Amino acid sequence: MSLHINPLSTLISVNHVHAGRQSKSKLRISSILTKQDQNPISPPFDFNRYTLEKADSVNRALAAAVEMKEPLKIHESMRYSLLAGGKRVRPMLFRTPSLCIAACELFGGDEPTALPAACAVEMIHTMSLMHDDLPCMDNDALRRGKPTNHRVFGEETAVLAGDALLSFAFEHVALATRGASPENVVRVLGELAKAIGAEGLVAGQVVDICSEGMAEVGLEHLEFIHHHKTAALLEGSVVLGAILGGGDEEEVGKLRKFAKCIGLLFQVVDDILDLTKSSAELGKTAGKDLVADKTTYPKLLGIEKSRELAEELNREAQEQLSQFHPHKAAPLIALANYIAYRDN
């Protein structure tokens, strides 16, 4: 048995060799340290602590930003989906906003500077889930382990609450961002709009809807959907943080490619989990892609090839971070590993 340890990851790979064949399993690191980790100048990165801290910061900021006020029903609906999960860390990407904060910190920025943009990303992400769940879209009954917004507040309110979150996201970035130049705030607003518009999230959603039930959907077509539907918002989140942290064009480009990889990685893993996990394990309806006859990576490639693709995307994502200081890049590397090896 041989151990391959990445000191910046929360996972280690254990290779077992039996009669000439090799199998791989993933184990979580607890107290296993390399010599590099033991260097007091570069302490080991505590992924769980980092993500819990960022999740708590974003939860508190979101609760403060979207207050209960008149009209009560719309604000209650907004908060119901936006704050689902309370103080626990949500399964979905260990919160997309963590990527925004981590990217900002990579370039010497701080959490307060990135927090309004991180909250805006979560508002927009929540809006997209609320609308995805509607009867006219995926018609889902469960989200994050709770009844979907329209099941609780009605379809009309769910649509309007999502619209309200979308518009407020831009207002919040414009009015609440501190510690960044006005020029960079404008760049952030432009990046955010592009990520979710007709060239980003919406494009992926439309092509996805039009693809349901199609007899032949190829890999290139599927990648277009997910590069836009899933990766666009992730890309936006990372790029926003990089801009606010002061990254130059080349550096922002590296982070952009990193985000594209992990966005696609998330979708590949999501497709695998949809087939291999129960609704209770996922916190949402399992097997819905199969019922809707959606084209997924397992459907095109099979489970094993899909898992190989996930490994490849994770490696490519982490290659984009190789030029940065390992300690500063640790949160992004660990987040990529979390996406690759998550269980829900």
Side-chain angles (χ1 to χ4, degrees), residues 111-311:
E111 181 183 298
T113 299
L115 205 50
C119 286
V121 169
E122 182 66 1
M123 291 174 195
I124 292 170
H125 176 229
T126 299
M127 173 277 298
S128 73
L129 298 180
M130 292 166 68
H131 287 181
D132 277 353
D133 292 337
L134 290 168
C136 64
M137 302 285 273
D138 291 346
N139 194 23
D140 219 332
L142 194 65
R143 173 69 68 180
R144 291 170 177 164
K146 300 172 63 176
T148 47
N149 196 286
H150 68 275
R151 290 294 183 104
V152 177
F153 298 96
E155 290 180 42
E156 299 90 345
T157 299
V159 170
L160 293 172
D163 293 344
L165 284 172
L166 175 60
S167 60
F168 185 61
F170 289 90
E171 177 185 341
H172 191 59
V173 171
L175 299 182
T177 302
R178 301 288 184 271
S181 68
E183 292 79 9
N184 279 346
V185 174
V186 171
R187 285 180 65 196
V188 162
L189 291 171
E191 285 282 348
L192 192 55
K194 185 176 181 180
I196 63 174
E199 296 181 17
L201 178 64
V202 170
Q205 185 70 50
V206 168
V207 176
D208 188 28
I209 291 171
C210 294
S211 301
E212 289 184 18
M214 285 179 60
E216 296 292 336
V217 175
L219 189 59
E220 185 176 344
H221 185 97
L222 187 63
E223 287 188 352
F224 176 90
I225 293 171
H226 297 311
H227 269 306
H228 290 77
K229 185 179 176 181
T230 303
L233 190 56
L234 274 169
E235 178 185 333
S237 181
V238 172
V239 170
L240 300 190
I243 291 171
L244 291 170
D248 61 33
E249 288 300 321
E250 182 180 352
E251 291 168 333
V252 171
K254 290 281 187 183
L255 270 289
R256 192 184 295 278
K257 187 170 182 181
F258 164 82
K260 286 180 183 292
C261 289
I262 64 170
L264 194 55
L265 171 63
F266 175 80
Q267 190 59 55
V268 174
V269 173
D270 211 47
D271 286 352
I272 294 170
L273 292 176
D274 188 67
L275 287 177
T276 59
K277 298 292 182 179
S278 68
S279 296
E281 290 172 309
L282 293 177
K284 60 181 182 179
T285 306
K288 64 179 183 178
D289 291 341
L290 188 63
V291 172
D293 195 27
K294 284 189 175 182
T295 301
T296 64
Y297 285 95
K299 183 176 179 179
L300 287 178
L301 303 176
I303 292 287
E304 289 308 313
K305 288 292 184 182
S306 296
R307 285 175 174 149
E308 289 175 13
L309 176 59
E311 294 281 357

